[in-house]
């Protein structure tokens, strides 16, 4: 067993910024970061567009940003949370800059603020089209300065340790005492005891297979929290990014940032028509849920598996300066954006629900916190406004830090049991891959952008069989990361399907054709 004061599971902007603050405030205490891949591999790293915040009071205001967020959230945002995050956001971003994050500026030294779908003003700070990578770089540089931060890279958190299996525990309230962690290189399962645990594991995109997320986005934090009896909400609200580069196969997809449409690019269908005018008055700058459903509708009507993003009318030199990574990636695919339209298709991108937390990032399990994409704060409602995710992550990481500054969490005197599991044979990769692909196919075809009650009921039935297979594999074989990830993805799929069946009105990222008459705000989809 190993002990630490603060255990943080995940190494994106939420986890790293929290670690930096805790380590700086409490130099005599140990902060341990557990991450299942390289420490830099996270959803943060792949965030292209930037961070939305009010930095130009002449043309923007907190009131406008709050309004845009609530409109995008389709009536389900917690207005107090929205105001808190947006008003606090600029302070947190200034801290990132103090730590070395460099956002683009214009020749006069002012921030070069971008505009994205759903925003009424230019308010997105960015670093070219690799903002997430820049933030990750700066935070990792900062983390490495602290001797009291321990990073366990290539370690996988299997499950949280709660009061339930502990002998001698007298508490009525579920409490978290740490986590069981698999050392991926040695196969050893370590018991990590901690005063407090924070889940910052990111998203769930790999559940769908076709996703803009990296391979590590398997919903681990949400699944662990669910098994620990934490409250989970709003998992039906899966945001599909409208414009992932179409490459003719499933799996991870290259993201064409929403900022490209903010820069002036047009969406065209297979006939070359600019179709967004038929779906929303904001056209290409409508919120993501509307644009994704519009593209889905055009694809189904034309039977062509993609639409186009047209940049040919733009200033290409300015485009190359603003989006060098996108320009380069398209070039590698033989797409010359000054004369070719870019084939794009929606892909799973962000989960707006997750582990329910209060204003301090506390979950319903004592001493368990959550921040970042795996949390459900109430900011996003039914649909996240573009570039609000990194903002939420840094604000709630700070709120968790603030809570720890005001409240001392005493270490438990309970002796934690080791992880109980007999070692079995290693699982053959083909069977694991086949089961994973079956799950992803189910989610894409029956729990996608547009759903129906009959499809969801069928998905629930099919998932039961996949769950039984997965639990048998988990019970009878030695643990390794892919097997644990599959188990977590099945749990996440169960939550998405269950929450979808419980919802009887369309909102934001959830659209059921059986309830289409309730969604009067769309022109037609």
């Amino acid at each position: 067993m190993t002990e630490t004061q603060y255990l943080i599971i995940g190494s994106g902007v939420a986890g790293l910024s929290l670690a930096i603050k805790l380590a700086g405030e409490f130099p005599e205490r140990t902060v341990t970061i557990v991450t299942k891949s390289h420490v830099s591999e996270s959803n943060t790293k792949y965030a292209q567009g930037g961070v939305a915040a009010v930095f130009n009071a002449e043309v923007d205001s907190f009131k406008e940003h709050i309004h845009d967020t609530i409109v995008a959230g389709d009536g389900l945002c917690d207005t107090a949370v929205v105001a808190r995050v947006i008003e606090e956001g600029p302070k947190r971003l200034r801290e990132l800059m103090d730590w070395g994050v460099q956002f683009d500026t214009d020749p006069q030294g002012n921030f070069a603020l971008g505009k994205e779908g759903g925003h009424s003003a230019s308010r997105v700070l960015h670093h070219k089209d690799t903002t997430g990578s820049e933030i990750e770089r700066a935070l990792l540089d900062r983390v490495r300065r602290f001797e009291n931060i321990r990073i366990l890279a290539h370690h996988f958190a299997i499950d949280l340790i709660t009061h339930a299996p502990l002998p001698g525990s007298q508490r009525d309230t579920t409490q978290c005492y740490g986590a069981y962690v698999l050392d991926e290189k040695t196969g050893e399962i370590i018991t990590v005891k901690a005063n407090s645990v924070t889940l910052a594991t990111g998203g769930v995109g790999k559940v769908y297979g076709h996703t803009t997320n990296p391979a590590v986005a398997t919903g681990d934090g949400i699944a662990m929290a669910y098994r620990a009896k934490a409250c989970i909400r709003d998992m039906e609200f899966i945001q599909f990014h409208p414009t992932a580069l179409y490459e003719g196969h499933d799996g991870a997809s290259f993201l064409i940032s929403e900022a490209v449409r903010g820069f002036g690019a047009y969406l065209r269908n297979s006939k070359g028509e600019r179709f967004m005018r038929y779906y929303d008055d904001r056209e290409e700058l409508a919120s993501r849920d509307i644009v994704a459903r519009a593209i889905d509708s055009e694809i189904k009507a034309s039977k062509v598996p993609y639409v186009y993003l047209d940049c040919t009318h733009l200033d290409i030199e300015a485009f190359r300066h603003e989006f060098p990574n996108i320009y380069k990636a398209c070039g590698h695919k033989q797409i010359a954006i000054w004369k070719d339209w870019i084939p794009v298709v929606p892909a799973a991108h962000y989960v707006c629900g997750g582990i329910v937390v209060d204003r301090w990032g506390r979950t319903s399990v004592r001493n368990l916190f959550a921040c970042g994409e795996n949390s459900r704060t109430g900011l996003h409602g039914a649909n996240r406004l573009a570039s609000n995710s990194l903002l939420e992550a840094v604000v709630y990481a700070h709120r968790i830090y603030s809570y720890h500054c005001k409240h001392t969490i005493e270490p438990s005197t309970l002796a934690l049991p080791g992880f109980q599991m007999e070692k079995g044979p290693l699982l053959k990769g083909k069977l694991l891959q086949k089961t994973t692909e079956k799950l992803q196919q189910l989610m894409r075809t029956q729990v996608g952008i547009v759903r129906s009650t009959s499809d969801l009921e069928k998905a629930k039935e099919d998932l039961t069989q996949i769950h039984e297979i997965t639990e048998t594999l988990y019970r009878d074989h030695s643990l390794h990361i892919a097997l644990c990830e599959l188990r977590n993805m099945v749990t996440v799929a169960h939550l998405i399907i269950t929450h979808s069946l419980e919802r009887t009105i369309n909102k934001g990222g959830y659209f059921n054709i059986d309830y289409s008459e309730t969604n009067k705000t769309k022109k037609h989809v």
Side-chain angles (χ1 to χ4, degrees), residues 130-147:
T130 55
T131 307
S133 181
E134 166 62 13
I135 292 174
E136 191 86 0
R137 176 203 62 76
L139 293 184
L140 284 174
D141 285 348
R142 190 82 176 179
V143 161
R144 293 185 180 108
R145 300 181 188 182
F146 291 93
E147 294 184 359

Side-chain angles (χ1 to χ4, degrees), residues 76-109:
L76 294 187
C77 298
D78 183 322
T79 55
V81 169
V82 174
R84 182 184 305 129
V85 171
I86 287 169
E87 291 171 5
E88 190 178 329
K91 296 177 185 176
R92 305 284 77 85
L93 295 183
R94 290 286 185 189
E95 288 177 342
L96 292 185
M97 295 176 219
D98 290 341
W99 294 346
V101 175
Q102 298 177 10
F103 293 112
D104 292 344
T105 56
D106 62 23
Q108 288 73 44

Side-chain angles (χ1 to χ4, degrees), residues 304-324:
V304 176
Y306 51 84
V307 296
Y308 295 101
L309 193 63
D310 176 11
C311 304
T312 59
H313 57 288
L314 302 176
D315 182 332
I316 298 304
E317 284 305 311
F319 183 99
R320 182 159 56 180
H321 175 77
E322 289 292 321
F323 309 107

Side-chain angles (χ1 to χ4, degrees), residues 270-288:
S270 59
K271 298 177 182 178
E273 299 171 328
R274 284 187 64 190
F275 57 86
M276 277 308 303
R277 65 190 65 181
Y278 304 122
Y279 295 87
D280 194 277
D281 293 337
R282 293 168 293 178
E283 300 183 346
E284 280 82 3
L285 291 181
S287 59
R288 288 177 176 176

